Amino acid sequence: MAWDKSAKSIQVKGEMEVYEYVYTAGKNGEEFFKALKDKKILGGRCEKCGRVFVPPKMFCEYCFGLLKLEEIKGKPIIDSFTVIYYDNDGKKLETPITVGFISFEGVEGGILAYVEGVPEIGKEVEILEYNIPLRVKVK
Amino acid sequence: MRKVGIIGAGLTLFRRRMLETPQELAYIAASRALDEAGLELKDIDCVVIGSAPDAFDGIHMKGEYLAKAGGERKMTSRVYVGGATGVMTAISAWYHVASGLCEKVLAIAEEKMSPARPHPQSVFKYIWDPITEKPLNPNLIWIFAMEMHRYMAKYGIKKEDIALVSVKNKRNAMNNPYAQAAANITVDDVLNSEVLVWPVNRLDVSPVSDGAAAMVLATEDIVRRYTDTPVWIEGVGWTLDNTSWPGRELAYPRYLENAARMAYKMAKIERPDKEIDVVEPYDPFDYKELHHLEGLMIAKKGEAPKLLKEGVFDIDGDIPSSPSGGLLGVGNPIAAAGLMKTISIYWQLKGTAGKMQVKKPVHTGVAQAWGDLMQAATVIVMRN
């Protein structure tokens, strides 16, 4: 074993590259993204057990029922949040970023969001921008 | 060990660039398998998930990701032995039951090859020895081309003899409702298709595919309760050969002979060429089906092409080979393709293969897959 950092060893450089990946959202996923553009949150209700999921996948992970799409009318609420002070390269951010997990009354799951205002768990938010992530403001 | 049987199986279409997410493909196959078994998700004790490299779907920890399709809140295992994974998924599900640990197990294999751009072949850039091989920037087709060439040179096999496999399998796939690359082609079509890496032409190779496959395995008393046409798993085998490909004889798949001997011993098969009625050897390339028929000891070394020409491996032949259409005809979503082959034999033995059903009565069937750095083999023997 060579531990001496000053020892001159042969070094072979390599890289692991795939040019890019192109992912699909699935059929319900496509509808979810289309609805976001119209400022609507779509969920999926399990035809077998009645659970509602956001975002909607094709199927219920509990009982394998198919999900039927429906608009979510429940209030958006901060389920949890965090404040980020450093970026992934270890550089201190000029303005800290608040990221929250937004859930909706009566549904399973939720959507990540950039949060404006003074966040608190359980507080209702107003959705300013319908996108992934959402941009929300604490009410 | 407990006796283990199969009571249900399901497939998705095999296609390039499916809209469904990998989790959704896994769900479709799994729910079809449960439907055929007459069970619901809540009846399942354990889910075994098989997928080849995460890099195909472009999601790391893909075993956990795919667990969404039935494995959450349950005992869940993932298996991975490269291209040999599909059959290993069934084998792993088998030992979950055989060991006495579980009663009813759902085995799911999924692969989505199409997200990686420009081509999923790039994923294989990372499997080479970084010092001695990577500087040449090899890809898998190169290496298979060298293996195919060794096979041809050692036994004096012609390209047109090998092309017959592609013709047969794509023709068989015409009867398979899940198939992506079914076609009536001729040997000349194969020989005249684009040369990718000599001696490998485009029609010697299976396509890029997305798809999933699933199977339900259970204990003997449950199998007898749920079906009048049981299919039993009677032998399993899996082995690795030398993990460095330049350290092996390329003309003969010793990795497979070792795995087959293990499975045959368990299933008490002494003369594979006489006792096996139908076979699904792993065929991502046409020469590999011949190679694997020899490794399975169904044909003598170098003699598979001769038997193929005589029609032995045709759908109405003595030992129909790849009646599903194989990877060449149905498609090659890697792990799903291996489990698809296992399911093909299960449906043949159950007598529910529909238009794919072989002409002769069948009692013993074998499915096989192959992978990693071309040295892993998995074999499963089933009987009705």
Side-chain angles (χ1 to χ4, degrees), chain A residues 87-100:
Chain A
D87 70 11
N88 286 354
D89 301 322
K91 230 177 74 190
K92 186 151 189 169
L93 293 167
E94 281 181 25
T95 318
I97 298 169
T98 302
V99 171

Side-chain angles (χ1 to χ4, degrees), chain A residues 76 114 124-130 135-139:
Chain A
Y114 291 129
E124 190 182 345
V125 295
E126 181 192 345
I127 299 174
L128 302 176
E129 206 178 297
Y130 287 76
R135 206 160 57 80
V136 302
K137 197 173 137 190
V138 183
K139 273 197 174 170

Side-chain angles (χ1 to χ4, degrees), chain A residues 12 15-27 30 48 57-59 61-66, chain B residues 18-21 23-24 27-28 41 55 57-58 68-70 72-73 112 115-118 125-126 131:
Chain A
V12 180
E15 53 183 34
M16 299 208 353
E17 71 292 310
V18 162
Y19 171 63
E20 66 178 357
Y21 282 95
V22 179
Y23 301 98
T24 57
K27 210 168 144 196
E30 296 236 330
K48 268 163 111 179
K57 292 187 185 298
M58 178 189 195
F59 62 96
E61 65 198 54
Y62 290 87
C63 70
F64 269 14
L66 286 167
Chain B
M18 292 278 265
L19 174 61
E20 284 85 357
T21 66
Q23 290 174 337
E24 290 171 349
Y27 157 77
I28 293 169
L41 183 57
D57 293 53
K68 183 68 74 189
E72 290 180 348
R73 294 166 292 276
K112 204 169 177 185
R117 305 290 165 80
K125 280 180 178 173
Y126 323 134
I131 313 292

